Amino acid sequence: MSKSTTSAGAKPPSLFRQRNFALLFTSQTGSLFGTQITYVAVPLTAVLLLHATPLEAGLLGALETLPFLLFGLFVGVRLDRQARRPVMIAADAVRAVALAWIPVAHALGVLNIGQLFAVVFVVGTMTVFFDLALQSYTPGLIGRDRLPEANAKMQVSDSAAQVAGPGAAGVLISAIGAPTAILVDAASYVLSFLAVAGLPADKTPEPRPGARSGSIRASIREGFAAIGRHPMLRWPTSAAVTVNLFSGALMSVFFLYLVHVGMDAAQVGLIVAVGSSGALLGALLTDRLTGWFGVGPMMITAMALPVVGYLVLAAVTGHSPAAVGAVAAGSFVVQFGIPVFNVNVVSFRQICTPDELLGRVTATARTGVLGAFSIGSLLGGALGSASGLRTTILVAAGGTLMVAAVLLFSPVRTVRRLHELSADPGSDAVLDADLTIHQQTS
């Protein structure tokens, strides 16, 4: 496993010069761009070729994230009891084969909506395994002192895929058809499989001294307890979960509100594109911004930025060019803050969590975030029906501002650099007495 060997004060070499990170980045970038193609191609296959009903289309979308809610906590337990790299390799292989079935079945004339449901569910389940294994495997591969930089580069790749992927998917689908285009995503998982297979093997995490092997339920409780006891896990995770509750509520009425004020599809598309460019710029500048202003202050700022965008959205009442420009600018601001917050939350989690708990802590956090978004979507839809779309947007803005304010008065605000989380193990602001932080590897 790769470790940082840079002496104190010297600027470390680019992560792209590390073979291990280059392979990991290749794996993620290829699969992320492939996923954007499937994100467009699968629904089009369902609607245009299989004549899916609205209910079937909704179920297809739900099956993408349902596996995380069903299996995430159990997968986290499993990953703390075995090596993570073999899980990543197996997940990539299954995803490639499952997606490849869609164009094959279409060519054979046997594709139906049930098969599409099955493929989406299988791919979603394997993504749970891969994503949790990836976040648990990366600290040992890169070295915890380089995690913020590594996560920022990964976030740039993700944001770039979200900006360029849908457009490329549209061109590809127009040229060869939606089912055949999915082969590109299958090929991206083959590329990821080969890249991960070239990475060094990891070992099964060693249990903490004195720890006893418990039941799955007890192991899951340990994941929750690890987050609850450690201030640098508890506060950012609680903020992420709560803000996703309000984000889900906002997104449940976002497109309806734009249509309600008279915007057409082209205007909505422009707003989404501008927002995506904000996410890309935020990802590109995350490392620099946190270096200038400090990790804690930037996380709090990033949490507060969506409030501005939400209030701008609520103030718009028409579809004039000025209104479209205002909403697009607001969307840019909202999306700009997301990667800044995400990169640092993931880095907090990876740095502050012992290796033998990392799978469970990651699974607990991710399940909480996804579950909160789903619940928020339901609540937002209900509130929009009962009190109006604008009211829902204002509630989301107020709730998000509340989360930012709470984070402002938490220990997170004192963190200037992520290496502080392990540089002073005795600091009350950083370390809870019940949970130790692994030291940096130099």
Side-chain angles (χ1 to χ4, degrees), residues 69 240-249 366-379:
L69 299 178
V241 170
T242 309
V243 84
N244 266 274
L245 183 73
F246 293 107
S247 178
R366 293 286 300 276
T367 301
V369 166
L370 286 173
F373 190 90
S374 299
I375 293 170
S377 297
L378 295 174
L379 294 178

Side-chain angles (χ1 to χ4, degrees), residues 57-430:
L59 179 57
L60 191 65
L63 287 172
E64 294 179 10
T65 56
L66 183 61
F68 225 115
L69 299 178
L70 292 177
F71 310 128
L73 295 175
F74 302 99
V75 172
V77 172
R78 184 68 252 172
L79 290 173
D80 283 340
R81 299 178 178 181
Q82 69 176 89
R84 284 79 181 248
R85 175 174 162 269
V87 174
M88 297 163 66
I89 293 173
D92 273 337
V94 174
R95 289 190 291 187
V97 172
L99 285 170
W101 172 250
I102 294 176
V104 170
H106 174 64
L108 295 174
V110 297
L111 183 64
N112 58 46
I113 193 68
Q115 293 174 26
L116 212 57
F117 287 158
V119 168
V120 169
F121 185 77
V122 168
V123 171
T125 301
M126 291 300 102
T127 297
V128 173
F129 279 92
F130 186 93
D131 285 357
L132 294 181
L134 173 66
Q135 290 195 18
S136 303
Y137 173 74
T138 302
L141 181 76
I142 303 301
R144 293 179 186 249
D145 55 331
R146 303 297 298 273
L147 282 172
E149 181 186 355
N151 288 328
K153 286 178 167 54
M154 292 292 193
Q155 185 66 56
V156 169
S157 178
D158 190 7
S159 299
Q162 292 182 38
V163 172
V171 173
L172 188 64
I173 291 168
S174 298
I176 61 177
T180 307
I182 294 171
L183 270 178
V184 175
D185 195 12
S188 77
Y189 287 124
V190 173
L191 173 64
S192 179
F193 172 92
L194 295 173
V196 175
L199 292 170
D202 62 326
K203 298 179 180 178
T204 300
E206 296 183 3
R208 286 171 294 163
R212 292 178 295 178
S213 177
S215 66
I216 291 178
R217 181 176 297 179
S219 296
I220 290 174
R221 284 201 300 268
E222 277 194 324
F224 280 97
I227 292 175
R229 291 171 182 168
H230 197 304
M232 292 304 163
L233 295 175
R234 179 173 67 249
W235 287 100
T237 302
S238 298
V241 170
T242 309
V243 84
N244 266 274
L245 183 73
F246 293 107
S247 178
L250 184 282
M251 288 309 299
S252 71
V253 302
F254 178 68
F255 292 105
L256 287 174
Y257 184 79
L258 295 182
V259 173
H260 176 73
V261 299
M263 296 186 187
D264 58 27
Q267 292 170 323
V268 173
L270 175 63
I271 290 168
V272 173
V274 172
S276 297
S277 67
L280 177 58
L281 184 62
L284 288 168
L285 294 180
T286 293
D287 204 32
R288 184 169 298 179
L289 289 172
T290 52
W292 288 343
F293 302 108
V295 174
M298 278 311 305
M299 287 181 69
I300 295 167
T301 302
M303 181 66 70
L305 283 177
V307 177
V308 178
Y310 295 171
L311 292 176
V312 169
L313 177 64
V316 168
T317 58
H319 59 281
S320 66
V324 174
V327 176
S331 179
F332 182 94
V333 171
V334 171
Q335 295 295 323
F336 180 89
I338 291 174
V340 178
F341 185 80
N342 285 349
V343 165
N344 287 298
V345 165
V346 172
S347 298
F348 266 60
R349 187 161 61 236
Q350 291 173 324
I351 290 172
C352 293
T353 307
D355 188 55
E356 68 274 5
L357 286 169
L358 192 50
R360 280 168 285 174
V361 167
T362 300
T364 301
R366 293 286 300 276
T367 301
V369 166
L370 286 173
F373 190 90
S374 299
I375 293 170
S377 297
L378 295 174
L379 294 178
L383 181 61
S385 298
S387 303
L389 303 179
R390 183 174 283 106
T391 298
T392 304
I393 296 170
L394 291 174
V395 169
T400 303
L401 180 61
M402 176 194 69
V403 176
V406 170
L407 204 61
L408 178 63
F409 292 99
S410 75
V412 171
R413 76 180 187 280
T414 66
V415 180
R416 304 292 298 181
R417 301 289 181 268
L418 282 170
H419 66 75
E420 296 174 7
L421 298 177
S422 57
D424 182 11
S427 172
D428 291 337
V430 174

